[in-house]
Amino acid sequence: MSANPWFDALPLGDQQALLASGELLRLRPGEMLFRQGDAPGGFYGLLDGLLKISSLREDGREAILVVLEAGNWIGEISLMDGEPRTHDATALSAVEVLVVPQAAFAVLMQGAPFARAIAGLLAARVRSLYGMVEDAALRSTRARVARRLLLLARGDATMALKARPMVRVSQEALAMMLGISRQTLSVELKVMVQRGAIVLGYRCIEIVSPGRLEALGNVSP
């Protein structure tokens, strides 16, 4: 779990308590960890595999918000406000999740260091959300694609400190994350290839020039 700087920054006692209170849950590809509207169930640590966080639009099409990799902790929002789950969480591969029960989470929240850490986790999510809203409102499609690829290089919500050159995401999933058509995405990716920023592979995109991709991420509408 130390792949996530959030967990790695917790006091050792809180790390141990969090891991000791959890129960291992395994999911097959396509199985759901929770559905939109479900009651709060637990705090989840993704140990292995990929989880898709998504919702359905009014027309029945799926909108992918994020694809989570091992190292992520999720589910704290519903535990904080007692409201139902806001999105679906679906396994994209074989997944192992550590499920920390609601009662154990409440006990941990009585400690100031853990409560501050959860506040920091929520702040990071809000900051990321504002960034996505800003991108959608103020940036060109090309810039949105480039900026999302740069986020994915750091595991998107994983908050990894070091970016990876290989982003393992299908173009279909990337288009869903951005709310654009597959055809529109294809046009923008071809431009990025021509500019020497990326190389396209099978269900993956290699970032060969982060600097050029960052420059494309600053393109105005």
Side-chain angles (χ1 to χ4, degrees):
M1 298 303 299
S2 60
N4 189 322
W6 176 83
F7 179 80
D8 201 36
L10 287 175
L12 182 58
D14 285 340
Q15 290 184 15
Q16 293 172 340
L18 196 59
L19 297 177
S21 63
E23 298 180 359
L24 184 63
L25 173 67
R26 291 186 172 90
L27 300 174
R28 295 186 298 271
E31 284 191 296
M32 301 189 75
L33 178 61
F34 53 78
R35 294 178 182 273
Q36 185 176 14
D38 282 354
F43 187 45
Y44 305 105
L46 182 55
L47 301 176
D48 191 32
L50 298 172
L51 270 178
K52 173 181 65 177
I53 306 300
S54 64
S55 61
L56 293 179
R57 302 175 182 175
E58 292 182 357
D59 60 5
R61 295 174 59 199
E62 184 181 33
I64 299 177
L65 278 75
V66 66
V67 174
L68 301 174
E69 302 177 356
N72 275 284
W73 289 87
I74 61 170
E76 75 287 345
I77 295 176
S78 288
L79 295 180
M80 294 291 291
D81 63 13
E83 295 296 320
R85 298 295 182 188
T86 56
H87 301 94
D88 297 334
T90 309
L92 289 178
S93 64
V95 162
E96 290 187 354
V97 180
L98 190 71
V99 183
V100 178
Q102 187 170 4
F105 180 84
V107 170
L108 283 165
M109 283 294 292
Q110 294 176 13
F114 186 78
R116 283 196 297 269
I118 290 295
L121 187 61
L122 285 168
R125 299 208 199 285
V126 171
R127 188 180 295 274
S128 177
L129 177 61
Y130 280 159
M132 291 180 187
V133 172
E134 179 182 305
D135 286 351
L138 303 177
R139 300 189 187 277
S140 67
T141 300
R142 186 167 303 163
R144 291 175 58 208
V145 174
R147 291 167 70 86
R148 195 55 184 260
L149 286 174
L150 290 168
L151 278 176
L152 289 168
R154 287 185 166 83
D156 212 344
T158 304
M159 301 181 294
L161 298 177
K162 185 177 181 180
R164 302 159 303 179
M166 190 65 69
V167 176
R168 300 196 177 280
V169 63
S170 69
Q171 293 185 31
E172 180 180 7
L174 182 57
M176 287 182 179
M177 290 180 194
L178 294 163
I180 60 179
S181 70
R182 176 70 175 75
Q183 292 77 13
T184 297
L185 176 64
S186 180
V187 170
E188 300 299 344
L189 291 177
K190 286 179 181 177
V191 171
M192 293 176 186
V193 170
Q194 293 169 357
R195 301 281 179 88
I198 64 172
V199 171
L200 302 179
Y202 176 69
R203 300 184 70 84
C204 66
I205 298 170
E206 182 182 1
I207 300 174
V208 295
S209 177
R212 291 177 182 176
L213 196 59
E214 288 175 5
L216 289 166
N218 293 321
V219 176
S220 300

